[in-house]
Amino acid sequence: MQMEFFPSRSLTWYLARLFVTRIFAVLLMLVLVLQVLDLLGESGDILAYHGNGQAQLLYYVTLRVPQLIARFLPYSVLLATIITLATLNQNSEVISMKAAGLSAHQVLAPLFLSALVISAGSLAFNERVVTRATAMLNAWQAVKYGPIPKSSNAKANLYMSDGRDLLIAGNIDGDGNAMVLHDVTFYHRDDTAIITEKLRADRATFANPGWRFENPVRFDVATITTSRSAAVTVAPGITPAKIMLANVDADSQNIFQLTRSIEALKAAGRRTSELEAAWWHKLSGPFSSVLMPLLGAVTAFGLARSGQLLIRAVIGMALGFAYFVLDNAALAMGNFGGYPPLIAAWAPFVLFALIGETVLIRTEE
């Protein structure tokens, strides 16, 4: 038996090339099919806004495709693992490698290395591309596919109180004192929390303090009258910093931005377990691809002509999908404090790594 972890350079390159090409082929197939189905569902809403056309449909695709790639890359690695190993088994190449003295771990080593590289690339892609696309898409959807937000820092769906009064905005653009609220509504309430006045404007800017509504429409509840008024400044207790803390979306922030948001929320005495679980999952999610060759390894071994290749492939697929189910369940438990954030993000990874390793050792080593 060879003592090196990797087989020869030629064999390592051969197995890695087979594996990587199948990963991207499966990922391309999944993304194309899912994007077409998603676009069929959303195109009606996009085109419902007056003036939208093919350019807006293509823009939606550019924002949605990164999300689909990030979500389904681990599934693609799992399916590519099963396809690659089943093909090698069917052609008796696994038997040849084991006859040459390679262990099961050595056969799988090029796949682990390839998956590790893809995981690192996925992490960088998620942090640099997916977070920005998610922020832009959320902000665009908040205005019902109206004017496209100009900033990748755009946020959506603000709902905050200033004492008894309420401030609501459909879309938020910019940071700090340059922050701008779009599709904004202010409700003034009396001491009994009954709404007495409503202000509605397309745009509000920070007046330090308060928010300056530009040409708002005023509705007076007592007289049931509507009028257009000059610029009005309201909600002096709401600052851009408070808005940023109240509107933290983990999917729209990279890991450094999310770290700062968590620290600010902790300093303000706010609960952060959901965001901390999402922070850890930004690491465990992309690196789940490294698990897939281990969970699908059962497909590689055993005689193909014994008739059990299909059963082994199904077992490998079942292990992989069981991981994804448990990962989502653990993350949900971490969101409401059932699990500590670190456990919620990494426990399924460690558990299935042990399961996969146990199955591989007991059956093949």
Side-chain angles (χ1 to χ4, degrees):
M1 177 184 294
Q2 298 183 19
M3 299 306 294
E4 297 84 0
F5 183 67
F6 289 97
S8 67
R9 178 179 298 181
S10 298
L11 185 55
T12 298
W13 171 249
Y14 170 71
L15 293 175
R17 180 171 54 83
L18 286 179
F19 185 45
V20 171
T21 54
R22 281 158 177 77
I23 289 174
F24 286 107
V26 173
L27 181 62
L28 179 63
M29 178 192 68
L30 288 177
V31 170
L32 285 177
V33 172
L34 293 170
Q35 181 60 79
V36 169
L37 295 176
D38 180 67
L39 190 59
L40 287 174
E42 291 292 327
S43 58
D45 294 333
I46 297 173
L47 297 176
Y49 190 89
H50 179 70
N52 283 355
Q54 182 178 349
Q56 284 69 33
L57 291 176
L58 292 176
Y59 181 69
Y60 174 81
V61 170
T62 62
L63 296 180
R64 192 74 176 102
V65 164
Q67 293 181 334
L68 295 176
I69 292 174
R71 177 169 297 181
F72 290 98
L73 180 59
Y75 294 89
S76 301
V77 176
L78 173 64
L79 295 176
T81 298
I82 294 172
I83 293 172
T84 301
L85 296 180
T87 302
L88 293 173
N89 193 351
Q90 187 72 36
N91 295 332
S92 300
E93 292 175 87
V94 174
I95 295 177
S96 300
M97 286 185 279
K98 296 202 72 174
L102 297 180
S103 67
H105 285 87
Q106 288 174 310
V107 173
L108 297 174
L111 276 64
F112 286 126
L113 178 61
S114 302
L116 182 61
V117 172
I118 287 176
S119 296
S122 175
L123 177 61
F125 178 76
N126 292 351
E127 297 301 294
R128 294 292 298 172
V129 179
V130 178
T131 53
R132 298 181 181 184
T134 300
M136 292 290 286
L137 184 57
N138 289 343
W140 194 28
Q141 289 175 333
V143 295
K144 299 181 180 179
Y145 299 109
I148 296 174
K150 298 179 181 179
S151 171
S152 62
N153 293 325
K155 297 176 175 60
N157 299 326
L158 169 70
Y159 185 97
M160 290 193 71
S161 63
D162 181 27
R164 295 183 179 86
D165 301 332
L166 298 176
L167 180 66
I168 301 173
N171 189 24
I172 309 165
D173 203 4
D175 295 310
N177 291 347
M179 183 177 290
V180 179
L181 309 182
H182 300 277
D183 190 20
V184 60
T185 306
F186 178 77
Y187 294 97
H188 178 68
R189 301 193 294 183
D190 61 18
D191 294 340
T192 60
I194 296 177
I195 296 175
T196 60
E197 185 182 53
K198 172 185 174 182
L199 293 174
R200 179 82 166 78
D202 294 331
R203 190 171 183 268
T205 56
F206 185 55
N208 196 20
W211 295 89
R212 187 174 184 270
F213 280 46
E214 301 177 1
N215 299 319
V217 175
R218 183 191 302 269
F219 175 73
D220 188 283
V221 175
T223 61
I224 318 179
T225 57
T226 301
S227 62
R228 174 78 66 173
S229 66
V232 178
T233 300
V234 298
I238 298 177
T239 64
K242 289 184 178 180
I243 290 176
M244 295 301 293
L245 289 180
N247 204 55
V248 177
D249 178 16
D251 294 332
S252 301
Q253 296 188 356
N254 62 44
I255 199 166
F256 302 106
Q257 294 170 329
L258 187 57
T259 299
R260 291 192 293 269
S261 297
I262 291 173
E263 291 174 350
L265 285 170
K266 285 183 175 179
R270 306 276 285 277
R271 179 177 175 271
T272 61
S273 59
E274 180 177 354
L275 295 178
E276 289 181 65
W279 191 96
W280 283 110
H281 200 262
K282 283 179 175 289
L283 299 176
S284 65
F287 282 96
S288 64
S289 297
V290 180
L291 270 183
M292 298 305 113
L294 185 61
L295 299 181
V298 66
T299 310
F301 307 102
L303 295 177
R305 62 177 178 270
S306 68
Q308 295 183 352
L309 180 58
L310 178 60
I311 296 176
R312 287 174 170 266
V314 170
I315 292 173
M317 190 175 299
L319 284 173
F321 280 95
Y323 165 77
F324 293 123
V325 171
L326 185 60
D327 181 55
N328 289 330
L331 188 61
M333 291 289 289
N335 287 343
F336 66 81
Y339 291 161
L342 178 62
I343 300 299
W346 286 103
F349 184 97
V350 174
L351 174 63
F352 276 83
L354 294 175
I355 291 175
E357 190 66 24
T358 300
V359 171
L360 185 63
I361 290 176
R362 289 182 64 87
T363 57
E364 301 300 330
E365 299 287 24

